[in-house]
Amino acid sequence: MIDRIAGAVIFMISAAAFWVARDYEASFGDPLGPAVFPQMVAAAAAILSIGLILRPDPNPKAQPLHAFIRQAMTLGVLIGYVLLLEPLGFPLSTMIGTTCLALLFGAERMTAGLTGIAVGISLYLIFDTVLGLPLPLAPARFG
């Protein structure tokens, strides 16, 4: 039953995301427009959620409490990342978010920190220089 509930929730979120993305506009970037990618992701999520609804796991096993706590913490990191993206800038917020996620998944502190730095800088360079998509570099008050 939980698979069907999750599938229904994911389907509703996907439909809402698809609907909201139809109005995205930008003066730069992809010639197809900024709505295409989020709509493709939303459509894929909706299709996969229908699979959860129609073919749920016949023998679902309950997750232990620590797994739910880690999932909630991961969701908290992702929400925090979105909220800090503009105030801190893309590289710094990505470094922090990646480091926190790596720690949640069991990485050592040094490895998590180095991974966060590498991901933050490399993604900024890829988006800004290679793809030509402007991202906030520095914190809002300094930029």
Side-chain angles (χ1 to χ4, degrees), residues 66-107:
H66 67 85
F68 283 120
I69 292 170
R70 193 161 74 178
Q71 289 172 358
M73 291 172 68
T74 301
L75 184 60
V77 168
L78 295 175
I79 291 170
Y81 173 71
V82 169
L83 294 174
L84 294 175
L85 192 58
E86 206 168 311
L88 295 182
F90 182 83
L92 183 58
S93 60
T94 302
M95 289 177 197
I96 293 169
T98 303
T99 301
C100 290
L101 288 175
L103 290 170
L104 276 173
F105 285 97

Side-chain angles (χ1 to χ4, degrees), residues 10-63:
I10 293 168
F11 184 83
M12 289 186 288
I13 292 170
S14 300
F18 190 91
W19 182 261
V20 169
R22 78 188 194 298
D23 292 331
Y24 287 172
E25 293 180 13
S27 60
F28 61 87
D30 189 359
L32 295 175
V36 173
F37 181 72
Q39 285 181 325
M40 287 183 346
V41 171
I47 290 167
L48 293 172
S49 70
I50 291 170
L52 280 175
I53 295 168
L54 298 178
R55 294 186 54 117
D57 186 358
N59 298 314
K61 294 183 177 112
Q63 294 289 332

